[in-house]
Amino acid sequence: MTLVFNMAGQNPNGPEGDDAVVTKTRTRTQRPPMYKVLLLNDDFTPMEFVVHVLERFFGMSHAMAFDIMLTVHKKGVAVVGVFSYEVAETKVAQVMDFARRHQHPLQCTLEKEE
């Protein structure tokens, strides 16, 4: 965005006869794109494990984690959080690593929020 100001108190026909004009460019910062972290249903990961993952990695209460686990179970997928790319990527890696260490096929992924 460019703003144009006429120098107040200046002779508009200054020494060269031109208007004195100052331009100032302002840069607007944009918010970074956000990413949804998605938890996917499978037929093998115990529901209790999914609730534990939601509580541990997403800071949810037991009741909220239980509700989201049911959504994943019934609909096949649920958004479990919206974060900047770096945070979303870290959450996905943590969940996937934790699931593998406990020998569960739980899937977690991310996608850009529209």
Side-chain angles (χ1 to χ4, degrees):
M1 167 172 39
T2 302
L3 302 175
V4 178
F5 298 98
N6 189 351
M7 299 292 287
Q10 295 286 328
N11 180 355
N13 300 320
E16 293 83 31
D18 294 329
D19 286 342
V21 176
V22 175
T23 61
K24 182 176 182 181
T25 302
R26 291 187 184 170
T27 304
R28 289 190 183 203
T29 56
Q30 292 182 339
R31 292 184 179 213
M34 300 300 279
Y35 290 80
K36 299 183 282 190
V37 175
L38 307 168
L39 209 54
L40 308 175
N41 188 43
D42 65 74
D43 294 331
F44 304 100
T45 304
M47 292 180 179
E48 298 81 19
F49 184 79
V50 175
V51 170
H52 179 70
V53 164
L54 293 169
E55 291 171 344
R56 178 173 179 164
F57 296 105
F58 298 94
M60 295 182 187
S61 68
H62 185 76
M64 181 180 282
F66 189 82
D67 286 345
I68 291 185
M69 175 275 300
L70 286 178
T71 300
V72 171
H73 181 69
K74 291 176 183 175
K75 295 187 177 182
V77 65
V79 176
V80 296
V82 179
F83 309 95
S84 67
Y85 180 77
E86 292 78 13
V87 173
E89 184 179 46
T90 300
K91 298 266 186 199
V92 168
Q94 289 173 330
V95 169
M96 296 294 289
D97 181 57
F98 189 70
R100 297 302 158 264
R101 283 189 283 127
H102 288 86
Q103 300 179 346
H104 295 299
L106 182 65
Q107 293 292 306
C108 186
T109 188
L110 62 93
E111 70 180 37
K112 193 170 187 178
E113 186 177 48
E114 310 239 350

